[in-house]
Structure formats: C-alpha cells, structure tokens
Amino acid sequence: MRLHTERRADRRLDLVYRIGAGLTGLILIGFGIAGMMIRLPLFDTQGEVIAGLSTNGALSFLSIAIGSLLVGAMVLGGTFASTVCVVVGVGFIVSGLANLFLMSTDFNILAFSMPNVIFSFVVGLLVMTFGMYGRFSGGLTEDNPYRMHRESKHHGRVPAPRAEHEGASTRAEDGAPRAREGGDDPVYRAGHEAGRRGAPGGASALKSPGRHRRTGE
C-alpha cells in the first residue's frame, strides 16, 4: 500500500518515518566518514575509538552504506521508509547480540566493544520504533491508513450472505408452483400456466414434463 500524503493521518505518519530514517542515517554516515578519514585497517579487531565507539575500516564502510540506505528511505518516505526502519532496527539488535559474543574472540572483524553493543541496541530499538509507529500497534484510530487497508482486505474476503429463497422452489398464493425467475425451460413454463388456468392435464403436465411433451405432439 501507499500513503496518501494529502491526508492528515498519512502525512503525520510519513513525517515520523522520514525523521526517524533521516536522523539515524545522517548519524551513521558521519560516524563512517570519520572512520574512513583516519584510514583504519579493514578488519582490525582492536580498532580506534571515535566518539566513544571503536571502529575499523569495515565498520566505517558498513556504517556509510546503512546510513545511505536510511537517507534514501527518508527521501522516498511512506511505507518504504517504515519498512526500511523496521528492517534496519532488527538488524542492529541482531548485530549487537552477535558481536556481544564475538568481541572477545579473533572473529571480532568489526572491532566491537561494549559501547558499540549498547549503541547497537539503543539505535536498533529507536529506529525500529520509528518504523512501527502507527503501523503495527494496537488501538489505531479510525483514520489510520494501515487500519483502513487491513479492514478493506478483511471485508473483501467475507462472502455475501445467501438469500434464504435462493435455489428453492416457491409457491404462489393459490397454491400452484411458481416458476423460478429466469427459467429457460419452455415445458416447465407451459405446464405452470396450464396449472394456474385450471386446464385439464395442467397439473400432470407440471409434474411430468415428458408426458406433457407427448400429449402436445
């Protein structure tokens, strides 16, 4: 689905997604550029400390790449920005958990330290909250576009109620069987008319179309 930014609710959500993606992306790009300017080794497990966080060449390049993705999401906005924020937020949390176990080993290729782990958790939760705002939470307002979209899809799957008289034979007030609407059988219609006029053989013609056909030949 796409957000219609001319609507008030849609415009408010779009603004939240853009702000969350843009701010996080600019912070990551600035951190990555600072690390690239020092020309750190690509996979140095010790790294250098910048703004309280340790980094190396690989982490600096990865920070610029993810930051650029978030800035692009800010430019496009809408549901795309929301989805990117959620995915990036989950990625940061997973990265924090993984590097928490790797930072004391030789496989710490991103030069993570404990401040980096805390930073990953905080940024991950923050950007994921931005992306989930007004989309996955409960108690959404009636003008929320995601709620209206889900309700429209739900109503589209509900089958239309079937009329009780549909497919069933009915009777007229005089007790004679009434032909179904839209019936195309000429023998059935002829027997029905004969039965209503009280013509001889009308009832039998209605009950047995084959006998009526032989009589009229």
Side-chain angles (χ1 to χ4, degrees), residues 143-158:
D143 61 345
N144 182 277
Y146 297 103
R147 176 179 176 178
M148 292 189 295
H149 179 69
R150 287 194 288 265
E151 288 179 352
S152 64
K153 291 178 62 177
H154 174 72
H155 292 327
R157 291 193 299 265
V158 177

Side-chain angles (χ1 to χ4, degrees), residues 27-201:
I27 292 174
L28 292 177
I29 291 175
F31 176 74
I33 291 176
M36 296 291 287
M37 291 178 63
I38 303 177
R39 298 187 178 184
L40 299 173
L42 190 61
F43 295 111
D44 182 17
T45 57
Q46 299 299 322
E48 294 289 338
V49 177
I50 298 178
L53 303 175
S54 62
T55 184
N56 58 12
L59 184 59
S60 299
F61 177 80
L62 187 61
S63 298
I64 294 175
I66 297 177
S68 301
L69 174 63
L70 288 170
V71 171
M74 177 196 68
V75 174
L76 296 177
T79 305
F80 177 76
S82 170
T83 304
V84 170
C85 286
V86 173
V87 173
V88 171
V90 173
F92 265 89
I93 294 175
V94 172
S95 174
L97 289 173
N99 286 284
L100 179 62
F101 296 99
L102 296 176
M103 65 181 183
S104 300
T105 67
D106 294 335
F107 298 99
N108 187 21
I109 59 175
L110 297 179
F112 259 59
S113 61
M114 185 55 67
N116 294 66
V117 174
I118 297 175
F119 178 81
S120 287
F121 288 150
V122 172
V123 172
L125 289 174
L126 184 63
V127 72
M128 186 171 61
T129 302
F130 274 112
M132 297 176 66
Y133 175 78
R135 184 173 182 179
F136 300 105
S137 58
L140 300 177
T141 58
E142 294 183 357
D143 61 345
N144 182 277
Y146 297 103
R147 176 179 176 178
M148 292 189 295
H149 179 69
R150 287 194 288 265
E151 288 179 352
S152 64
K153 291 178 62 177
H154 174 72
H155 292 327
R157 291 193 299 265
V158 177
R162 185 175 180 180
E164 296 181 358
H165 63 276
E166 184 178 351
S169 60
T170 57
R171 292 182 175 272
E173 295 180 358
D174 56 359
R178 185 166 56 193
R180 298 177 183 178
E181 295 182 7
D184 296 329
D185 189 353
V187 176
Y188 183 86
R189 290 199 301 269
H192 168 67
E193 295 297 333
R196 296 191 62 179
R197 292 194 300 266

